[in-house]
Amino acid sequence: MFGRLLNILNDPAPAIDPLASDERELALAALLVRLARSDEDYAEAEKVRIDRVLAARNGLSTHEASELRHHAEEVEASAPDTVRFTRALKDKVAYEDRAGVIEALWDVALADGERDAHEETLIRLASKLLGVNDVDSALARRRVEERRN
């Protein structure tokens, strides 16, 4: 899974064969890690939030989610750019799930209680590349903010 996903992310013209669900979740986890690292402050609160998002999406234990995040950190460090993550997800994931990816990104971005310009820029880019419209992205952010209040 790990090697196949890296091949997909590093291939400039990958085949359109479907990603397995574990590969999709690893790609999502790597995108969450990229977002958390985008402001040069990969805080513990963000790591905890990524683990919670992964656990909730996949029915994982805390330990399993942490393991997935560790693998995602390796993928993120090896992947060339954000466009590859989003392309792998857009081509192979239904719109509703892509909107869920944007909600997960907002969840991590707001983990430290602050809105950071670098993180918001990456979310806007990811939304555009995933084909998630501005309205759905804004609704995803509001849902995350409401859960935090």
Side-chain angles (χ1 to χ4, degrees):
M1 163 186 70
F2 184 73
R4 180 168 137 42
L5 180 60
L6 279 176
N7 288 338
I8 290 169
L9 293 174
N10 286 305
D11 187 345
I16 305 294
D17 56 330
L19 287 175
S21 63
D22 54 349
E23 292 170 327
R24 284 193 306 268
E25 289 306 315
L26 181 57
L28 166 62
L31 185 58
L32 294 174
V33 169
R34 177 146 298 175
L35 172 73
R37 288 178 171 169
S38 70
D39 63 356
E40 304 297 322
D41 181 24
Y42 188 34
E44 189 62 29
E46 291 169 317
K47 293 175 186 178
V48 168
R49 181 60 58 187
I50 290 170
D51 290 353
R52 286 182 185 161
V53 166
L54 296 174
R57 285 181 59 88
N58 300 295
L60 302 175
S61 69
T62 304
H63 175 73
E64 291 168 326
S66 179
E67 287 288 316
L68 179 56
R69 177 178 45 82
H70 287 295
H71 289 302
E73 290 167 348
E74 294 175 41
V75 169
E76 188 278 330
S78 300
D81 58 41
T82 304
V83 173
R84 304 279 172 90
F85 287 117
T86 54
R87 183 180 61 205
L89 291 167
K90 180 181 181 191
D91 291 345
K92 296 159 179 133
V93 177
Y95 183 84
E96 298 78 27
D97 291 333
R98 287 184 271 140
V101 167
I102 299 305
E103 188 166 340
L105 288 168
W106 278 114
D107 203 359
V108 171
L110 298 173
D112 57 7
E114 297 179 21
R115 288 181 63 173
D116 177 82
H118 292 93
E119 292 171 338
E120 287 191 30
T121 299
L122 186 68
I123 293 171
R124 279 194 303 276
L125 173 64
S127 293
K128 178 181 175 189
L129 293 171
L130 286 170
V132 175
N133 64 51
D134 292 339
V135 171
D136 287 341
S137 179
L139 290 171
R141 187 192 74 242
R142 281 193 209 125
R143 284 190 299 273
V144 170
E145 290 172 335
E146 287 171 5
R147 282 195 308 261
R148 294 187 179 281
N149 293 332

